[in-house]
Amino acid sequence: MADDITELITDDDDAVIDVNGSENYTEDDIKTLSWNEHIRERPGMYIGNLGDGSYGDDGIYVLVKEVLDNSVDEYMMGFGKAITIDVDDTTVSVRDNGRGIPLGKLVDATSRMNTGGKYDGKAFKKSVGLNGVGIKAVNALSSRMEVTSFRDGKMKTVVYSAGNILDETPIEDSDEPSGTLVKFTPDASIFRNYRFRMEFIVPLIKKYTYLNSGMAIVLNGQRYISRNGLLDLLRDSITMDPLYEPIHLIGEDIEVAFTHTNQRGEEYHTFVNGQNTTSGGTHLAAFKEAVARTLKDFFDRNFEPGDIRNGIIAAVSIKVEAPVFESQTKTKLNSRDMWPDGPTVNKFVNDFIKKELDNYLHRNLDVAQVILKKVQESEKERKSLAVVTKVAREKAKKVNLHNKKLLDCRVHLNDPKGSEDKKLESSIFITEGDSAAGSITKIRDVETQAVFSLRGKPKNSYGVPEKILYENDEFNLLQAALNIEEGIDGLRYNKVIIATDADVDGMHIRLLLLTFFLQYFPDMVKKGHLYVLQTPLFRVRNRKTSKRGSKNAKAAEADTYYCYSDEERIAAINRLGANAEITRFKGLGEISPDEFKGFIGPEMRLDRVLLRKDDAVARLLEFYMGKNTLERQGFIIKNLVVEDDSEIS
């Protein structure tokens, strides 16, 4: 019997779990979980991360998607033109005008695993959800879920809590139009301190409209609709000026839009049956190959694929019958074929791109010339960097082998490039100096958290030729540690966390690192991999309690407040009154490892670095990091705030 936990999902929807790998393994060690208990026991299998709603990939947004997917599937099948969504801090309701769930099967469809209307290809030929799990996961992970189906002048409602039925109404008459209403509140015992944030809900809604031209979604009274599909998505995503008007190609079961910018690397938005496949898959691989091959043939030049695609930003959407995804979260397509006995995904995409893109370029020779010039520039740049990058990479390999600049996490030690599941678990802290790195290193989770230590301030990379960056040890070694020399497809860590001191030097180093990533790896920022660690600025504690020694450790802990802002500091002082002792943390190295443990654990505070079209990042970097020293100096003087340390002891 293996030492690790073994899980089996049986045909009758129960989970049989062996929790004992010892020689005393007996009948008593066999446990049976109901469908909802299994989901609640292993939520990550169904929705990925849990989280509190601070990040776009947190589980509460997956729950929203699971409900929305069903409504969108109805639209895709030709039923209902609008979906109404209402969201507050803790609850979501979704009402569509589809056909409605058959009333006699409402309970089964929402609470019995492997039950749904999407197994029949005639009813849902190209659907997102095919395994009957999605709405059940929402049900099991909600403290309350209410489902009402309206169908042919009748209605029925079922109310659940954690997957258990609280109330079920009989079938009644109704004058409501056909469709389904789902209202759910995620369970706060699973999603601790969660809150729905519109900054993540709105982009999610927009993507649904881009992928379903003409479908309206009304979110909290505001209407969203797209008339140009992926072309609208691309225009809304580009943060640098396109070199030519985006190429938009539409066929049966496929739509693509792309252009080139002077942005470094490649950026893709990919979808299957309306599902955002953030990790790509067979359709993305086919698109990348097809674009490179078609342009090589058109120009009759043996260009490198990387030179052809450098600076590309593209959106790709296909519809596959019975798609196969890598996991329940559906972020990567594994399907080989478009439909049973049909072409492979690779052949389907290749044939479409070869025909339609070649035709477009022959009709638009001006665009072809712009692309040719861009490819030639990329080729020239790559060749000029060839020698210096080779030397830099060899140096990085030697340095990383023989020093402690990178302290890796165990999930990567035997997997240098990092498999997809290990990437999702792992993070890396970029710290400054030995003291800060030492504090984090002593108390990090060695399984999933790595540490990279900077030596001094990195170079200001704004406007610097890429060749200089490879000759700069800090940036060269950082790229090697992250495995992004060839682009972020090889990124080894899901979260790259800038962890600098909360003083002037620390803020400057943070700004220099942000400049580097925004300038050379903007797609890493856009895909949500870059974060800034928040650490407390102040510790406010009860002077009397803290001096009584370890016997009163619990009391001292209860009377200690870590404050991340002046408002929190003032509130803590008011709680403790005259006994308040205030410490200002200006460096991470000043925080003891025992204290630091709480700041990089499950409750750590991270600010995700965002990059949107209206951020005007090029002008932003030029102003703050360019050579306009006098103008910037005037701005700093005008906005200078002097910190008052008079209360700090």
Side-chain angles (χ1 to χ4, degrees):
M1 185 65 64
D3 289 337
D4 58 345
I5 294 176
T6 303
E7 295 186 1
L8 299 172
I9 308 298
T10 63
D11 290 338
D12 61 356
D13 302 334
D14 291 334
V16 181
I17 301 182
D18 163 25
V19 293
N20 189 338
S22 72
E23 59 184 12
N24 297 321
Y25 175 55
T26 68
E27 289 86 349
D28 293 336
D29 294 315
I30 301 294
K31 295 183 179 180
T32 301
L33 299 179
S34 64
W35 68 272
N36 51 327
E37 288 174 329
H38 187 272
I39 294 174
R40 292 175 67 83
E41 185 76 19
R42 300 283 188 273
M45 290 177 58
Y46 300 90
I47 63 167
N49 299 329
L50 294 181
D52 64 359
S54 297
Y55 309 111
D57 58 354
D58 282 350
I60 60 172
Y61 303 113
V62 178
L63 300 185
V64 176
K65 287 174 73 286
E66 292 291 0
V67 176
L68 265 174
D69 284 345
N70 292 331
S71 296
V72 172
D73 285 339
E74 283 291 305
Y75 171 83
M76 291 173 61
M77 293 300 297
F79 301 95
K81 298 297 182 183
I83 301 170
T84 300
I85 306 171
D86 291 301
V87 182
D88 60 25
D89 283 352
T90 60
T91 301
V92 176
S93 70
V94 179
R95 171 67 156 98
D96 64 46
N97 293 314
R99 291 165 290 182
I101 301 171
L103 304 185
K105 291 290 185 178
L106 183 59
V107 173
D108 287 349
T110 52
S111 66
R112 183 169 176 80
M113 296 292 277
N114 305 321
T115 302
K118 300 178 184 179
Y119 299 101
D120 181 358
K122 295 178 181 178
F124 288 90
K125 186 177 181 182
K126 299 180 176 90
S127 170
V128 172
L130 291 172
N131 50 16
V133 172
I135 193 68
K136 286 81 168 181
V138 180
N139 190 350
L141 299 175
S142 296
S143 56
R144 180 181 177 89
M145 185 180 89
E146 181 177 330
V147 185
T148 302
S149 179
F150 306 94
R151 190 175 171 95
D152 302 327
K154 303 289 184 179
M155 66 176 285
K156 180 180 175 65
T157 298
V158 185
V159 182
Y160 298 93
S161 178
N164 300 306
I165 295 179
L166 292 182
D167 189 27
E168 179 182 356
T169 68
I171 297 174
E172 303 171 335
D173 291 334
S174 172
D175 56 4
E176 288 281 329
S178 293
T180 304
L181 170 64
V182 178
K183 185 175 183 179
F184 69 94
T185 302
D187 194 331
S189 68
I190 295 174
F191 306 97
R192 291 188 298 170
N193 302 315
Y194 79 90
R195 176 171 66 86
F196 286 108
R197 290 166 169 82
M198 298 309 291
E199 64 195 89
F200 301 119
I201 295 288
V202 171
L204 176 65
I205 297 307
K206 284 185 175 181
K207 282 182 179 176
Y208 277 109
T209 62
Y210 297 144
L211 294 163
N212 299 276
S213 297
M215 180 183 73
I217 296 183
V218 180
L219 171 63
N220 288 353
Q222 184 169 348
R223 189 169 182 263
Y224 295 88
I225 192 168
S226 169
R227 299 298 182 190
N228 303 299
L230 293 188
L231 192 59
D232 288 338
L233 183 151
L234 209 63
R235 288 169 174 165
D236 199 37
S237 302
I238 294 176
T239 55
M240 296 185 72
D241 293 336
L243 299 181
Y244 53 89
E245 185 65 21
I247 297 171
H248 191 202
L249 307 174
I250 303 175
E252 185 174 356
D253 294 331
I254 185 169
E255 179 184 1
V256 303
F258 71 92
T259 186
H260 282 79
T261 71
N262 285 321
Q263 175 177 301
R264 184 181 186 271
E266 306 168 33
E267 180 182 337
Y268 299 100
H269 305 266
T270 63
F271 306 86
V272 175
N273 297 5
Q275 172 67 33
N276 189 187
T277 45
T278 53
S279 299
T282 52
H283 57 322
L284 176 56
F287 173 79
K288 292 167 71 173
E289 178 187 332
V291 168
R293 181 181 299 172
T294 302
L295 290 175
K296 282 173 67 175
D297 291 345
F298 180 84
F299 296 124
D300 194 22
R301 299 277 295 274
N302 191 28
F303 289 124
E304 288 287 328
D307 295 333
I308 291 173
R309 298 192 300 259
N310 183 41
I312 196 172
I313 173 170
V316 181
S317 175
I318 67 171
K319 294 180 181 178
V320 178
E321 187 172 338
V324 177
F325 296 98
E326 189 173 86
S327 65
Q328 167 61 21
T329 51
K330 308 184 184 97
T331 59
K332 187 173 185 178
L333 180 69
N334 278 356
S335 291
R336 179 182 180 275
D337 300 319
M338 289 293 293
W339 55 81
D341 301 321
T344 64
V345 171
N346 188 67
K347 179 174 174 26
F348 177 82
V349 174
N350 262 284
D351 288 350
F352 174 77
I353 294 295
K354 181 179 180 181
K355 177 184 176 183
E356 299 300 328
L357 179 55
D358 186 74
N359 287 343
Y360 180 91
L361 294 173
H362 276 97
R363 292 193 303 266
N364 298 272
L365 294 177
D366 55 335
V367 172
Q369 285 303 307
V370 175
I371 295 175
L372 177 60
K373 182 181 178 183
K374 171 62 179 175
V375 176
Q376 290 173 328
E377 288 174 351
S378 296
E379 181 182 53
K380 182 179 179 181
E381 182 181 8
R382 175 181 56 80
K383 288 180 177 179
S384 71
L385 284 171
V387 176
V388 69
T389 54
K390 181 179 180 181
V391 172
R393 287 168 188 171
E394 288 301 319
K395 182 177 181 180
K397 288 179 182 178
K398 291 178 182 178
V399 172
N400 278 330
L401 282 173
H402 299 293
N403 79 354
K404 296 182 179 180
K405 195 167 189 66
L406 170 66
L407 294 177
D408 211 347
C409 49
R410 287 178 181 166
V411 295
H412 285 321
L413 288 177
N414 297 318
D415 186 8
K417 291 189 177 180
S419 59
E420 202 64 39
D421 57 339
K422 290 180 180 178
K423 275 190 206 173
L424 291 174
E425 297 174 30
S426 62
S427 58
I428 183 169
F429 295 97
I430 304 175
T431 67
E432 51 167 315
D434 294 335
S435 60
S439 293
I440 294 179
T441 299
K442 288 176 183 177
I443 44 80
R444 67 183 173 123
D445 178 353
V446 295
E447 290 294 324
T448 61
Q449 293 178 333
V451 180
F452 181 89
S453 178
L454 292 168
R455 182 175 298 169
K457 289 185 179 180
K459 188 178 185 65
N460 180 2
S461 60
Y462 180 73
V464 173
E466 192 173 354
K467 176 182 177 181
I468 304 299
L469 292 182
Y470 278 103
E471 294 172 345
N472 178 273
D473 282 349
E474 295 304 301
F475 284 135
N476 179 37
L477 296 175
L478 179 57
Q479 289 182 84
L482 300 179
N483 195 42
I484 56 175
E485 300 104 315
E486 302 292 340
I488 73 159
D489 283 349
L491 181 64
R492 299 178 69 233
Y493 307 94
N494 186 39
K495 292 180 180 177
V496 178
I497 304 168
I498 298 173
T500 57
D501 290 345
D503 58 11
V504 173
D505 284 339
M507 294 300 169
H508 191 201
I509 292 172
R510 178 189 299 181
L511 184 58
L512 292 167
L513 287 170
L514 288 173
T515 300
F516 169 70
F517 286 117
L518 289 170
Q519 182 100 323
Y520 290 98
F521 300 97
D523 46 340
M524 192 170 95
V525 180
K526 290 181 181 180
K527 292 190 175 181
H529 294 297
L530 188 62
Y531 297 82
V532 173
L533 175 68
Q534 284 190 37
T535 52
L537 298 175
F538 306 95
R539 179 184 61 209
V540 181
R541 61 184 178 182
N542 188 315
R543 184 180 288 103
K544 289 184 177 180
T545 307
S546 65
K547 291 181 179 179
R548 290 175 185 169
S550 58
K551 292 183 180 179
N552 291 281
K554 288 186 177 180
E557 184 178 343
D559 279 348
T560 300
Y561 301 91
Y562 296 99
C563 309
Y564 292 77
S565 65
D566 281 323
E567 290 77 13
E568 291 183 15
R569 174 176 62 93
I570 293 169
I573 292 172
N574 290 337
R575 290 191 196 101
L576 297 177
N579 292 320
E581 176 188 79
I582 307 106
T583 301
R584 169 70 159 95
F585 295 127
K586 293 190 177 181
L588 301 183
E590 297 176 9
I591 305 175
S592 69
D594 286 340
E595 287 181 297
F596 218 129
K597 187 177 296 184
F599 310 143
I600 66 168
E603 304 298 324
M604 71 173 163
R605 299 191 191 186
L606 294 176
D607 287 332
R608 176 179 164 185
V609 182
L610 300 173
L611 179 56
R612 296 159 297 199
K613 182 176 182 178
D614 55 1
D615 285 331
V617 68
R619 291 193 295 274
L620 198 70
L621 290 177
E622 182 180 7
F623 179 81
Y624 287 106
M625 306 305 293
K627 295 181 179 180
N628 55 326
T629 308
L630 290 177
E631 183 183 5
R632 189 165 56 247
Q633 189 178 62
F635 173 83
I636 293 172
I637 293 172
K638 182 179 178 181
N639 292 276
L640 184 66
V641 176
V642 179
E643 185 181 79
D644 181 7
D645 286 343
S646 59
E647 296 182 61
I648 301 174
S649 59

